[in-house]
């Protein structure tokens, strides 16, 4: 189950944790393999997912900062 599915089940903290884990992994992949563009695409997608998740629970300033990444 993805972060959206977990959040939809009322487990926001778990969904947020999964998003942050995905970001950490994707940041390492993008850094270690800059010649692979899809790594940066996945990283951007994970930042977007976390931003949407946080925005949905009113954490707007952090959500906005993440969406600007």
């Amino acid at each position: 189950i993805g972060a959206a599915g977990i959040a939809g089940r009322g487990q926001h903290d778990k969904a947020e944790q999964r998003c942050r884990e995905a970001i950490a992994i994707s940041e390492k992949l993008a850094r270690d393999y800059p010649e692979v563009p899809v790594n940066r695409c996945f990283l951007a997608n994970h930042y977007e997912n976390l931003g949407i998740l946080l925005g949905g629970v009113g954490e707007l300033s952090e959500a906005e900062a993440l969406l600007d990444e």
Side-chain angles (χ1 to χ4, degrees):
I1 296 175
I6 293 170
R9 293 182 172 169
Q11 298 178 11
H12 173 268
D13 292 341
K14 188 173 185 177
E16 182 179 342
Q17 177 186 351
R18 294 278 171 90
C19 284
R20 292 186 187 281
E21 290 169 357
I23 287 170
I25 292 167
S26 291
E27 282 179 337
K28 181 171 178 16
L29 287 171
R31 185 176 50 252
D32 292 351
Y33 302 99
E35 71 280 1
V36 181
V38 74
N39 290 334
R40 292 186 304 280
C41 291
F42 285 141
L43 177 58
N45 184 258
H46 296 315
Y47 272 116
E48 180 182 22
N49 288 340
L50 181 56
I52 291 167
L53 180 69
L54 293 173
V57 295
E59 297 178 31
L60 300 179
S61 60
E62 186 177 359
E64 183 178 0
L66 287 167
L67 292 172
D68 285 342
E69 283 283 329

Coordinates of all heavy atoms in Angstrom, one line a residue:
I1 N 0.9 -1.2 0.0 CA 0.0 0.0 0.0 C 0.9 1.2 0.0 O 1.8 1.3 0.8 CB -0.9 0.0 1.3 CG1 -1.9 -1.1 1.2 CG2 -1.7 1.3 1.3 CD1 -2.7 -1.3 2.5
G2 N 0.6 2.2 -0.9 CA 1.3 3.4 -0.9 C 0.9 4.4 0.2 O 0.0 4.1 1.0
A3 N 1.6 5.5 0.2 CA 1.4 6.5 1.3 C 0.0 7.0 1.3 O -0.6 7.2 2.3 CB 2.4 7.6 1.2
A4 N -0.6 7.2 0.1 CA -2.0 7.7 0.0 C -2.9 6.7 0.6 O -3.9 7.1 1.3 CB -2.3 8.0 -1.4
G5 N -2.7 5.4 0.3 CA -3.6 4.4 0.9 C -3.5 4.3 2.4 O -4.5 4.1 3.1
I6 N -2.3 4.4 2.9 CA -2.1 4.4 4.4 C -2.8 5.6 5.0 O -3.5 5.5 6.0 CB -0.6 4.3 4.7 CG1 0.0 3.0 4.2 CG2 -0.4 4.5 6.2 CD1 1.5 3.0 4.3
A7 N -2.6 6.8 4.4 CA -3.2 8.0 5.0 C -4.7 7.9 4.9 O -5.4 8.4 5.8 CB -2.7 9.2 4.2
G8 N -5.2 7.3 3.8 CA -6.7 7.2 3.7 C -7.3 6.3 4.8 O -8.4 6.3 5.0
R9 N -6.4 5.5 5.4 CA -6.9 4.6 6.5 C -6.7 5.2 7.8 O -6.8 4.6 8.8 CB -6.2 3.3 6.4 CG -6.5 2.5 5.2 CD -5.8 1.2 5.2 NE -6.3 0.3 4.1 CZ -5.8 -0.8 3.7 NH1 -4.7 -1.2 4.3 NH2 -6.3 -1.5 2.7
G10 N -6.4 6.5 7.8 CA -6.2 7.2 9.1 C -4.9 7.0 9.8 O -4.8 7.2 11.0
Q11 N -3.9 6.6 9.0 CA -2.6 6.4 9.6 C -1.6 7.4 9.0 O -0.6 7.0 8.4 CB -2.1 4.9 9.3 CG -3.0 3.9 9.9 CD -2.6 2.5 9.5 OE1 -1.5 2.3 9.0 NE2 -3.4 1.5 9.8
H12 N -1.9 8.7 9.3 CA -1.1 9.7 8.7 C 0.4 9.6 9.1 O 1.3 9.8 8.2 CB -1.6 11.1 9.2 CG -0.7 12.2 8.8 ND1 0.3 12.7 9.6 CD2 -0.7 12.9 7.6 CE1 0.9 13.7 8.9 NE2 0.3 13.8 7.7
D13 N 0.7 9.3 10.3 CA 2.1 9.3 10.8 C 2.9 8.2 10.0 O 4.0 8.4 9.6 CB 2.2 9.0 12.3 CG 1.8 10.2 13.1 OD1 1.7 11.3 12.6 OD2 1.5 10.0 14.3
K14 N 2.3 7.1 9.8 CA 2.9 6.0 9.0 C 3.1 6.4 7.6 O 4.2 6.1 7.0 CB 2.1 4.7 9.1 CG 2.7 3.5 8.6 CD 1.9 2.2 8.9 CE 2.6 1.0 8.4 NZ 1.9 -0.2 8.8
A15 N 2.1 7.0 7.0 CA 2.2 7.5 5.6 C 3.4 8.5 5.5 O 4.2 8.5 4.5 CB 0.9 8.1 5.1
E16 N 3.4 9.4 6.4 CA 4.5 10.4 6.4 C 5.9 9.8 6.5 O 6.8 10.1 5.8 CB 4.3 11.5 7.5 CG 5.3 12.5 7.5 CD 5.1 13.6 8.6 OE1 4.0 13.7 9.2 OE2 6.1 14.3 8.9
Q17 N 6.0 8.8 7.4 CA 7.3 8.1 7.5 C 7.7 7.4 6.2 O 8.8 7.5 5.8 CB 7.1 7.1 8.6 CG 8.4 6.2 8.8 CD 8.2 5.1 9.8 OE1 7.2 5.0 10.5 NE2 9.2 4.2 9.9
R18 N 6.7 6.8 5.6 CA 7.0 6.1 4.3 C 7.4 7.1 3.2 O 8.4 6.8 2.5 CB 5.8 5.3 3.8 CG 5.4 4.2 4.7 CD 6.2 2.9 4.4 NE 6.0 1.9 5.3 CZ 5.1 0.9 5.2 NH1 4.3 0.9 4.2 NH2 5.0 0.0 6.1
C19 N 6.8 8.2 3.2 CA 7.2 9.3 2.2 C 8.6 9.7 2.5 O 9.4 9.9 1.6 CB 6.2 10.5 2.3 SG 4.6 10.2 1.5
R20 N 8.9 10.0 3.7 CA 10.3 10.5 4.1 C 11.3 9.4 3.8 O 12.4 9.7 3.4 CB 10.3 10.9 5.5 CG 9.5 12.2 5.8 CD 9.6 12.7 7.2 NE 8.7 13.8 7.4 CZ 8.9 15.1 7.0 NH1 9.9 15.4 6.4 NH2 8.0 16.0 7.3
E21 N 11.0 8.1 4.0 CA 11.9 7.1 3.7 C 12.1 7.0 2.1 O 13.3 6.8 1.7 CB 11.4 5.7 4.1 CG 11.4 5.5 5.6 CD 10.6 4.3 6.1 OE1 10.0 3.6 5.3 OE2 10.6 4.1 7.4
A22 N 11.1 7.2 1.4 CA 11.2 7.2 -0.1 C 12.1 8.3 -0.5 O 12.9 8.2 -1.5 CB 9.8 7.2 -0.7
I23 N 11.9 9.5 0.1 CA 12.7 10.7 -0.3 C 14.2 10.4 0.0 O 15.0 10.7 -0.8 CB 12.2 11.9 0.5 CG1 10.9 12.4 -0.1 CG2 13.3 13.0 0.4 CD1 10.2 13.5 0.7
A24 N 14.5 9.8 1.2 CA 15.9 9.5 1.5 C 16.5 8.6 0.5 O 17.7 8.8 0.0 CB 16.0 8.9 2.9
I25 N 15.8 7.5 0.1 CA 16.3 6.6 -0.8 C 16.5 7.2 -2.2 O 17.5 7.1 -2.9 CB 15.4 5.3 -1.0 CG1 15.4 4.5 0.3 CG2 15.7 4.5 -2.2 CD1 14.3 3.5 0.5
S26 N 15.5 8.0 -2.6 CA 15.6 8.6 -3.9 C 16.7 9.7 -4.0 O 17.3 9.9 -5.0 CB 14.2 9.3 -4.3 OG 13.3 8.2 -4.6
E27 N 16.9 10.4 -2.9 CA 18.0 11.4 -2.8 C 19.3 10.7 -3.1 O 20.2 11.2 -3.8 CB 18.0 12.2 -1.5 CG 16.9 13.2 -1.4 CD 16.9 14.0 -0.1 OE1 17.4 13.4 0.9 OE2 16.3 15.1 -0.1
K28 N 19.5 9.6 -2.4 CA 20.8 8.8 -2.6 C 20.9 8.3 -4.0 O 22.0 8.5 -4.6 CB 20.8 7.7 -1.6 CG 22.1 6.9 -1.7 CD 22.3 5.9 -0.6 CE 23.5 5.0 -0.6 NZ 24.6 5.4 -1.5
L29 N 19.9 7.8 -4.6 CA 20.0 7.3 -6.0 C 20.2 8.5 -6.9 O 21.1 8.3 -7.8 CB 18.7 6.6 -6.3 CG 18.5 5.2 -5.7 CD1 17.0 4.7 -6.0 CD2 19.5 4.3 -6.2
A30 N 19.6 9.6 -6.7 CA 19.8 10.8 -7.6 C 21.2 11.3 -7.5 O 21.8 11.7 -8.5 CB 18.8 11.9 -7.3
R31 N 21.7 11.2 -6.3 CA 23.1 11.7 -6.0 C 24.1 10.7 -6.6 O 25.1 11.1 -7.2 CB 23.3 11.9 -4.5 CG 24.6 12.5 -4.1 CD 24.7 12.8 -2.6 NE 24.4 11.7 -1.8 CZ 23.3 11.6 -1.1 NH1 22.4 12.5 -1.1 NH2 23.0 10.5 -0.3
D32 N 23.9 9.4 -6.3 CA 24.9 8.4 -6.8 C 24.8 8.1 -8.3 O 25.8 7.7 -8.8 CB 24.6 7.1 -6.0 CG 25.0 7.2 -4.5 OD1 25.6 8.2 -4.1 OD2 24.6 6.3 -3.8
Y33 N 23.7 8.3 -8.9 CA 23.5 8.0 -10.3 C 22.9 9.2 -11.0 O 21.7 9.1 -11.5 CB 22.7 6.8 -10.5 CG 23.2 5.6 -9.8 CD1 22.7 5.2 -8.5 CD2 24.3 4.8 -10.4 CE1 23.3 4.1 -7.9 CE2 24.8 3.7 -9.7 CZ 24.3 3.4 -8.5 OH 24.9 2.3 -7.8
P34 N 23.6 10.4 -11.1 CA 23.0 11.6 -11.7 C 22.7 11.4 -13.2 O 21.9 12.1 -13.8 CB 24.1 12.6 -11.5 CG 25.3 11.9 -11.3 CD 25.0 10.6 -10.6
E35 N 23.3 10.4 -13.8 CA 23.1 10.2 -15.3 C 21.8 9.5 -15.6 O 21.4 9.3 -16.7 CB 24.3 9.4 -15.9 CG 24.4 7.9 -15.4 CD 25.0 7.7 -14.1 OE1 25.3 8.6 -13.4 OE2 25.1 6.5 -13.7
V36 N 21.1 9.1 -14.5 CA 19.8 8.4 -14.7 C 18.7 9.3 -14.3 O 18.4 9.5 -13.1 CB 19.7 7.1 -13.8 CG1 18.4 6.4 -14.0 CG2 20.9 6.2 -14.0
P37 N 18.1 10.0 -15.3 CA 17.1 11.0 -15.1 C 15.8 10.5 -14.3 O 15.3 11.3 -13.5 CB 16.6 11.5 -16.5 CG 17.6 10.9 -17.4 CD 18.3 9.8 -16.7
V38 N 15.5 9.3 -14.4 CA 14.3 8.8 -13.7 C 14.4 8.9 -12.2 O 13.4 9.1 -11.5 CB 13.9 7.4 -14.2 CG1 14.8 6.4 -13.6 CG2 12.5 7.1 -13.8
N39 N 15.7 8.9 -11.7 CA 15.9 9.0 -10.3 C 15.4 10.3 -9.8 O 14.8 10.4 -8.7 CB 17.4 8.7 -9.9 CG 17.8 7.3 -10.1 OD1 17.0 6.4 -10.0 ND2 19.1 7.1 -10.4
R40 N 15.7 11.4 -10.5 CA 15.3 12.7 -10.1 C 13.7 12.9 -10.3 O 13.1 13.5 -9.5 CB 16.0 13.8 -11.0 CG 17.5 13.9 -10.6 CD 18.2 15.0 -11.4 NE 18.0 15.0 -12.8 CZ 18.8 14.3 -13.6 NH1 19.7 13.4 -13.2 NH2 18.6 14.3 -14.9
C41 N 13.2 12.2 -11.2 CA 11.7 12.2 -11.4 C 11.0 11.6 -10.2 O 10.0 12.1 -9.7 CB 11.3 11.5 -12.7 SG 11.7 12.3 -14.2
F42 N 11.6 10.4 -9.8 CA 11.0 9.7 -8.6 C 11.1 10.6 -7.4 O 10.2 10.7 -6.5 CB 11.6 8.4 -8.4 CG 11.2 7.3 -9.3 CD1 12.1 6.4 -9.8 CD2 9.9 7.2 -9.8 CE1 11.7 5.4 -10.7 CE2 9.5 6.2 -10.6 CZ 10.4 5.3 -11.1
L43 N 12.3 11.2 -7.2 CA 12.5 12.1 -6.1 C 11.5 13.2 -6.0 O 10.9 13.5 -5.0 CB 14.0 12.7 -6.1 CG 14.3 13.6 -5.0 CD1 14.2 13.0 -3.6 CD2 15.8 14.1 -5.2
A44 N 11.3 13.9 -7.2 CA 10.3 15.0 -7.3 C 8.9 14.5 -6.9 O 8.2 15.1 -6.2 CB 10.3 15.6 -8.7
N45 N 8.6 13.3 -7.4 CA 7.3 12.7 -7.1 C 7.1 12.4 -5.6 O 6.0 12.7 -5.0 CB 7.1 11.4 -7.9 CG 5.7 10.8 -7.7 OD1 5.6 9.9 -7.0 ND2 4.7 11.4 -8.4
H46 N 8.2 11.9 -5.0 CA 8.1 11.7 -3.5 C 7.9 13.0 -2.7 O 7.2 13.0 -1.7 CB 9.3 10.9 -3.0 CG 9.4 9.5 -3.6 ND1 8.3 8.6 -3.7 CD2 10.4 8.9 -4.2 CE1 8.7 7.5 -4.3 NE2 10.0 7.6 -4.6
Y47 N 8.6 14.0 -3.1 CA 8.5 15.3 -2.5 C 7.0 15.8 -2.7 O 6.4 16.3 -1.7 CB 9.4 16.4 -3.0 CG 10.8 16.4 -2.3 CD1 11.9 16.1 -3.0 CD2 10.9 16.8 -1.0 CE1 13.2 16.1 -2.4 CE2 12.1 16.8 -0.4 CZ 13.2 16.5 -1.1 OH 14.5 16.6 -0.4
E48 N 6.5 15.7 -3.9 CA 5.1 16.1 -4.1 C 4.1 15.3 -3.2 O 3.2 15.9 -2.7 CB 4.8 15.9 -5.6 CG 3.4 16.3 -5.9 CD 3.0 16.1 -7.4 OE1 3.7 15.3 -8.1 OE2 2.1 16.8 -7.8
N49 N 4.3 14.0 -3.2 CA 3.4 13.2 -2.4 C 3.4 13.6 -0.9 O 2.4 13.7 -0.3 CB 3.8 11.7 -2.5 CG 3.4 11.1 -3.8 OD1 2.6 11.6 -4.5 ND2 4.1 10.0 -4.1
L50 N 4.6 13.9 -0.4 CA 4.7 14.3 1.0 C 4.1 15.7 1.2 O 3.4 15.9 2.2 CB 6.2 14.3 1.5 CG 6.4 14.7 3.0 CD1 5.6 13.8 3.9 CD2 7.9 14.6 3.3
G51 N 4.3 16.6 0.3 CA 3.7 17.9 0.3 C 2.2 17.8 0.3 O 1.6 18.5 1.1
I52 N 1.7 17.0 -0.5 CA 0.2 16.9 -0.6 C -0.3 16.3 0.7 O -1.3 16.7 1.3 CB -0.2 16.0 -1.8 CG1 0.1 16.8 -3.1 CG2 -1.7 15.6 -1.7 CD1 0.0 16.0 -4.3
L53 N 0.4 15.3 1.2 CA 0.0 14.6 2.5 C 0.0 15.6 3.6 O -1.0 15.7 4.4 CB 0.9 13.5 2.8 CG 0.7 12.7 4.1 CD1 -0.6 11.9 3.9 CD2 1.8 11.7 4.4
L54 N 1.1 16.4 3.8 CA 1.2 17.4 4.8 C 0.1 18.5 4.7 O -0.5 18.9 5.6 CB 2.6 17.9 4.9 CG 3.7 17.0 5.3 CD1 5.0 17.6 5.2 CD2 3.4 16.5 6.7
G55 N -0.1 18.9 3.4 CA -1.1 20.0 3.2 C -2.5 19.5 3.6 O -3.3 20.3 4.0
G56 N -2.7 18.2 3.4 CA -4.0 17.7 3.7 C -4.4 17.7 5.2 O -5.5 17.6 5.6
V57 N -3.3 17.8 6.0 CA -3.6 17.8 7.5 C -3.2 19.2 8.1 O -3.0 19.3 9.3 CB -2.8 16.7 8.2 CG1 -3.3 15.3 7.8 CG2 -1.3 16.8 8.0
G58 N -3.1 20.2 7.2 CA -2.9 21.5 7.7 C -1.5 22.0 8.0 O -1.3 23.0 8.5
E59 N -0.5 21.1 7.7 CA 0.9 21.5 7.9 C 1.4 22.3 6.6 O 2.2 21.8 5.9 CB 1.7 20.3 8.2 CG 1.3 19.6 9.4 CD 2.1 18.3 9.7 OE1 3.3 18.3 9.4 OE2 1.5 17.4 10.4
L60 N 0.8 23.4 6.4 CA 0.9 24.1 5.1 C 2.3 24.7 4.9 O 2.8 24.6 3.7 CB -0.1 25.2 5.0 CG -1.6 24.7 5.1 CD1 -2.5 25.9 5.0 CD2 -1.9 23.7 4.0
S61 N 3.0 25.2 5.9 CA 4.3 25.8 5.6 C 5.3 24.7 5.2 O 6.1 25.0 4.3 CB 4.8 26.6 6.9 OG 4.9 25.8 8.0
E62 N 5.3 23.6 5.9 CA 6.2 22.5 5.5 C 5.8 22.0 4.1 O 6.7 21.7 3.3 CB 6.3 21.4 6.5 CG 7.3 20.4 6.2 CD 7.5 19.2 7.2 OE1 6.8 19.3 8.2 OE2 8.3 18.4 6.9
A63 N 4.5 21.8 3.9 CA 4.1 21.3 2.6 C 4.5 22.2 1.5 O 5.0 21.8 0.4 CB 2.5 21.2 2.6
E64 N 4.4 23.5 1.7 CA 4.8 24.5 0.6 C 6.3 24.4 0.4 O 6.8 24.4 -0.7 CB 4.4 25.9 1.1 CG 4.7 27.0 0.0 CD 4.3 28.4 0.4 OE1 3.7 28.5 1.5 OE2 4.5 29.3 -0.4
A65 N 7.1 24.3 1.5 CA 8.5 24.2 1.3 C 8.9 22.9 0.5 O 9.8 23.0 -0.3 CB 9.2 24.2 2.7
L66 N 8.2 21.8 0.8 CA 8.5 20.6 0.1 C 8.2 20.7 -1.4 O 8.9 20.2 -2.2 CB 7.8 19.4 0.7 CG 8.3 19.0 2.1 CD1 7.3 18.0 2.8 CD2 9.7 18.3 1.9
L67 N 7.1 21.3 -1.7 CA 6.6 21.4 -3.0 C 7.5 22.4 -3.8 O 7.6 22.3 -5.1 CB 5.2 21.9 -3.1 CG 4.2 20.8 -2.6 CD1 2.8 21.4 -2.5 CD2 4.2 19.6 -3.5
D68 N 8.3 23.3 -3.1 CA 9.2 24.1 -3.8 C 10.5 23.4 -4.1 O 11.3 23.9 -4.8 CB 9.5 25.4 -2.9 CG 8.3 26.4 -3.0 OD1 7.5 26.3 -3.9 OD2 8.3 27.2 -2.0
E69 N 10.8 22.3 -3.5 CA 12.1 21.6 -3.6 C 12.3 21.2 -5.1 O 11.7 20.8 -5.9 CB 12.1 20.3 -2.8 CG 12.3 20.5 -1.4 CD 13.7 20.8 -1.0 OE1 14.6 20.3 -1.7 OE2 13.9 21.5 0.0

